[in-house]
Amino acid sequence: MMDLKLRIGGKFKQMHEPFVSGMTYRKYLPLEAEHDYLHEEVPYEALDKLIVLIVEAFDKQFTVDEFYAGLSSYDLRVKIAEFIAIVKGFPTTSQISDEELEEMTKEDADATPSIDGGEA
């Protein structure tokens, strides 16, 4: 599930896509094979291909140009990272219950090293 707020025609438009299909994942795989969108600067042609996929995933509620023009450069990178995480099947924080989030982030009481180096 992905939310997107774009500035289009001087006004903000909120979009929500509750379903990202397996076909979107399938179309992402060859893009990922060519470039690491999260850890390196990619040529604008490669970035355009990813943005086309985002537009398709949102059932063409906006255009590629509206996506680029409607986000700050910081938000553009954040939304790309969020999209990739969702496409790859990683849950977003909105999909994780408060209990699950607490369990994932709590510190393990046994994590402190012992004086003897952990040897029994």
Side-chain angles (χ1 to χ4, degrees):
M1 168 175 9
M2 187 169 173
D3 290 312
L4 188 58
K5 187 176 183 180
L6 298 177
R7 186 170 181 247
I8 300 174
K11 297 181 181 178
F12 286 97
K13 181 178 177 184
Q14 183 75 37
M15 282 149 284
H16 175 74
E17 184 51 55
F19 178 76
V20 177
S21 72
M23 182 56 75
T24 300
Y25 175 69
R26 169 63 183 90
K27 289 180 178 181
Y28 173 72
L29 290 175
L31 300 178
E32 179 185 46
E34 291 181 23
H35 298 284
D36 182 353
Y37 289 92
L38 296 178
H39 299 104
E40 64 183 43
E41 292 293 324
V42 297
Y44 72 87
E45 297 92 347
L47 188 58
D48 286 351
K49 290 177 183 180
L50 182 63
I51 304 307
V52 166
L53 186 58
I54 293 173
V55 170
E56 287 178 11
F58 273 86
D59 291 325
K60 300 181 181 178
Q61 296 177 56
F62 50 90
T63 67
V64 170
D65 288 343
E66 288 172 332
F67 184 83
Y68 278 120
L71 292 171
S72 69
S73 59
Y74 172 79
D75 288 335
L76 177 81
R77 290 172 180 260
V78 168
K79 287 302 175 180
I80 287 170
E82 182 181 342
F83 176 76
I84 290 170
I86 291 168
V87 166
K88 293 179 97 175
F90 298 116
T92 62
T93 54
S94 63
Q95 295 172 309
I96 301 172
S97 71
D98 290 339
E99 293 80 21
E100 290 172 316
L101 186 58
E102 185 177 323
E103 183 65 29
M104 289 167 44
T105 57
K106 78 175 186 179
E107 292 186 29
D108 188 357
D110 296 313
T112 306
S114 63
I115 294 173
D116 63 3
E119 301 291 324

